[in-house]
Amino acid sequence: MKALWIIILSCTTGLFSWNCLAQSISYSGFECVNAANANDPTPTVTRIDSRFEVVEILEDGMLRLSLSGGLPRFVNNNPDVCIDSDTAIGFIGTPDAAGSLGLPLRLERIDATARIDQGDLVIVVNSLFTDLSASRGAFSSFSTSRVQPVSNILFLKYDVRKASFILKKIIHNKGFVQTTGSTAMFPFIETIVPIFEETESVEVPRILTPPVEIGYRLDD
């Protein structure tokens, strides 16, 4: 990755001013026990870093970033925090990437888009997660894997004293896509649910507040 340096913050308070330089920001934590369950923030003992690296500097405070490691997961009223390294980064399943078995491959990093305005940093990450459950049954019946489009919007605020961006909120949403049917049947049944839960009840995206301080430190 091309190394880029960016003045990510310039803020003035009273007689003091800070210019903070960073190529990336990162938060160190532990992997989630059950990465596919958004309601389970239980951590393992395996350490992992959630890291955003600068890929390209655009106009008007816009940035292209690369996310590796995953994203912090927390649930309101639960003190546990873990790093989701599966659904937050997801899979790729193009013919070129799938290989001889034709199965989607887990990504190690994914693109993100951000905007910084003074000390406010907003990052948008979109991914696709699959359970690799595609199958073919009797009488040419089949079902595709269950695919979940995942969206995370992070709101961070820079803390000068800690030289870190503190995560204030995450808006999290997850949909559901699957096709089932038979080769002798048309049309196939395509299930597309653009809501968080795989139920009949409609839910709005989750707006989550960290139960503890989550700080993304500035890295060289």
Side-chain angles (χ1 to χ4, degrees):
M1 178 181 297
K2 181 179 179 181
L4 292 174
W5 287 87
I6 177 175
I7 299 178
I8 61 172
L9 181 70
S10 179
C11 54
T12 302
T13 302
L15 298 177
F16 301 93
S17 65
W18 298 267
N19 287 321
C20 308
L21 297 174
Q23 183 179 356
S24 65
I25 59 174
S26 64
Y27 164 72
S28 182
F30 298 91
E31 280 188 313
C32 297
V33 169
N34 185 357
N37 184 355
N39 294 311
D40 186 2
T42 305
T44 66
V45 295
T46 303
R47 295 201 67 89
I48 189 172
D49 286 343
S50 170
R51 183 183 304 276
F52 289 99
E53 295 185 57
V54 177
V55 174
E56 185 179 3
I57 306 170
L58 305 174
E59 296 179 352
D60 300 324
M62 301 296 295
L63 305 171
R64 296 190 190 280
L65 307 176
S66 175
L67 169 66
S68 60
L71 291 175
R73 170 184 291 164
F74 45 86
V75 180
N76 289 338
N77 302 319
N78 188 322
D80 290 335
V81 176
C82 63
I83 293 181
D84 166 20
S85 59
D86 287 357
T87 70
I89 295 181
F91 288 73
I92 186 170
T94 63
D96 292 339
S100 60
L101 297 178
L103 295 176
L105 300 178
R106 190 182 307 275
L107 291 169
E108 293 184 358
R109 60 179 64 245
I110 193 170
D111 292 339
T113 306
R115 186 176 191 275
I116 185 167
D117 182 9
Q118 297 299 320
D120 296 317
L121 177 63
V122 179
I123 304 175
V124 179
V125 183
N126 295 307
S127 58
L128 289 170
F129 175 78
T130 174
D131 61 1
L132 301 177
S133 62
S135 64
R136 183 177 294 277
F139 306 107
S140 300
S141 63
F142 71 91
S143 64
T144 64
S145 297
R146 297 152 62 96
V147 178
Q148 297 174 332
V150 181
S151 172
N152 288 287
I153 305 176
L154 289 70
F155 297 85
L156 303 99
K157 185 77 172 181
Y158 188 71
D159 187 315
V160 176
R161 294 169 301 175
K162 299 178 181 179
S164 298
F165 280 96
I166 308 303
L167 181 62
K168 297 299 184 180
K169 299 281 185 184
I170 287 184
I171 298 178
H172 177 73
N173 195 24
K174 182 168 61 180
F176 174 72
V177 180
Q178 186 181 39
T179 299
T180 58
S182 167
T183 56
M185 166 187 168
F186 186 82
F188 305 131
I189 299 174
E190 293 186 327
T191 302
I192 301 177
V193 185
I195 57 176
F196 183 84
E197 295 290 351
E198 302 162 21
T199 65
E200 297 298 326
S201 61
V202 176
E203 292 195 15
V204 298
R206 296 186 179 186
I207 302 175
L208 303 171
T209 302
V212 296
E213 184 175 279
I214 296 176
Y216 276 80
R217 66 181 182 274
L218 277 62
D219 296 329
D220 295 339

